Amino acid sequence: RDYPEMTRSVILDAPAMPEIRTTEASNFQLSLNRLVEECAAAPICSDLYPDLETKFYTAVDNLNMDPAAVDIQFEGSTETVFVSGDRFVLGLQNAFNSNSLLPLIPIAIDNVAAGDLAIVQAVAPDLLTAFESISWGHFASVDCAENNPFWSEAQRMQSNANVNPLISAALDPVSHGVDVGQCEFWDVQERPSIAGEAVLSDIPALILHGDYDVAIPLSYSEKAAENLSNSQLVVFPGFGHVVLGQDFNVDGTSCGQRILAQFLDDPMATVDTSCLAEFPPLYE
């Protein structure tokens, strides 16, 4: 929008659209619903983990009433972590964004509902370090300048209309602390109102998205494909947040890199997405 004369083509990987805002709770609900539906439709998954949705809410409710003490190995020492239902939801939120943890979510829900927290103990160190690579100052500068100013409490409530109260109770306080609490402290100047308006363009664009992304819902990329008239949307099955960060190798032959290379060679040509068939079903 700002420099069209300088822009040949655009690659968007899990894009956040300026005119769309959804709560973390509603994003989590969408990913959970998708997992429940796909597991129920897969013979092996449904046989091993029946009634997954009921078990999830049972686990969250039970852990909130009686948090479990779990000893984990973290940075060379043993730490005791108390896992409440809210913390369990936060852990699954991170797991939904990780391709390596996504396949483990049904067994995690099933085991935790039965009182077995061994899998939580195993993956907890990874979840505790999940945010270490984020520059929080950078995040706050962007979020507080061009996102939070255009995000009303009424919009948050509308976004949460179809969210289970156990999920919103776990995630809303965290997101409110990030979106509101940090901005009061960070005190950056708001962007002009155009920062909250849709970007409409005919510049060729390649849009990549993981179908389980809990940070940026697929609806954002679908809206981007509507707004960018010369765009191609490629959805990666069984992927969490950010495709290229999780589908990358040094020789440049991963599926995402091959699609990206095609697009850069000729942004107006339809990319060959047949390599998506290389990814096995997440749940069978």
Side-chain angles (χ1 to χ4, degrees):
R1 176 164 60 194
D2 292 345
Y3 305 102
E5 71 283 355
M6 298 172 61
T7 308
R8 169 185 179 263
S9 56
V10 179
I11 297 168
L12 303 173
D13 192 347
M17 303 306 294
E19 77 278 21
I20 305 177
R21 285 167 188 84
T22 52
T23 64
E24 292 189 23
S26 64
N27 297 348
F28 183 94
Q29 186 76 67
L30 287 173
S31 293
L32 177 66
N33 292 349
R34 184 180 190 90
L35 179 141
V36 168
E37 291 170 4
E38 291 202 353
C39 183
I44 295 177
C45 190
S46 61
D47 286 346
L48 289 174
Y49 314 113
D51 302 320
L52 205 57
E53 184 176 28
T54 300
K55 289 178 179 177
F56 167 77
Y57 292 117
T58 298
V60 174
D61 204 22
N62 289 343
L63 285 172
N64 275 334
M65 290 188 293
D66 185 19
V70 178
D71 292 331
I72 64 171
Q73 295 299 315
F74 184 63
E75 296 183 347
S77 63
T78 301
E79 303 282 348
T80 299
V81 175
F82 286 89
V83 181
S84 65
D86 291 349
R87 279 194 167 184
F88 182 54
V89 173
L90 286 166
L92 289 182
Q93 183 186 39
N94 290 335
F96 269 118
N97 280 329
S98 168
N99 287 16
S100 61
L101 295 179
L102 260 170
L104 301 178
I105 293 179
I107 189 173
I109 293 174
D110 188 78
N111 286 9
V112 171
D116 180 359
L117 274 72
I119 193 168
V120 174
Q121 189 174 26
V123 303
D126 291 335
L127 297 178
L128 288 172
T129 58
F131 293 126
E132 285 187 353
S133 62
I134 296 176
S135 170
W136 288 104
H138 183 189
F139 178 87
S141 294
V142 174
D143 188 55
C144 299
E146 61 185 55
N147 182 43
N148 193 57
F150 309 107
W151 188 209
S152 70
E153 189 60 32
Q155 288 174 305
R156 294 177 198 272
M157 292 178 64
Q158 182 179 6
S159 180
N160 272 357
N162 297 315
V163 176
N164 186 284
L166 287 174
I167 294 175
S168 56
L171 298 180
D172 284 350
V174 177
S175 60
H176 188 273
V178 170
D179 291 337
V180 178
Q182 73 171 358
C183 294
E184 293 176 354
F185 170 81
W186 205 244
D187 193 27
V188 295
Q189 184 176 355
E190 295 180 7
R191 290 286 308 279
S193 60
I194 194 173
E197 298 176 9
V199 177
L200 306 176
S201 175
D202 62 359
I203 294 172
L206 175 66
I207 307 167
L208 309 175
H209 212 108
D211 62 353
Y212 271 97
D213 192 334
V214 78
I216 304 292
L218 180 57
S219 59
Y220 281 50
S221 281
E222 291 170 341
K223 186 63 177 177
E226 291 180 19
N227 293 348
L228 307 177
S229 58
N230 281 323
S231 64
Q232 301 179 65
L233 171 59
V234 183
V235 179
F236 281 66
F239 269 65
H241 185 51
V242 182
V243 168
L244 293 175
Q246 302 193 80
D247 185 44
F248 181 89
N249 55 35
V250 293
D251 59 9
T253 59
S254 73
C255 182
Q257 289 169 297
R258 278 179 277 166
I259 291 174
L260 181 117
Q262 294 176 54
F263 177 75
L264 290 176
D265 283 343
D266 185 356
M268 294 301 294
T270 302
V271 295
D272 178 5
T273 61
S274 58
C275 62
L276 295 178
E278 298 171 5
F279 300 110
L282 192 58
Y283 306 115
E284 297 182 296

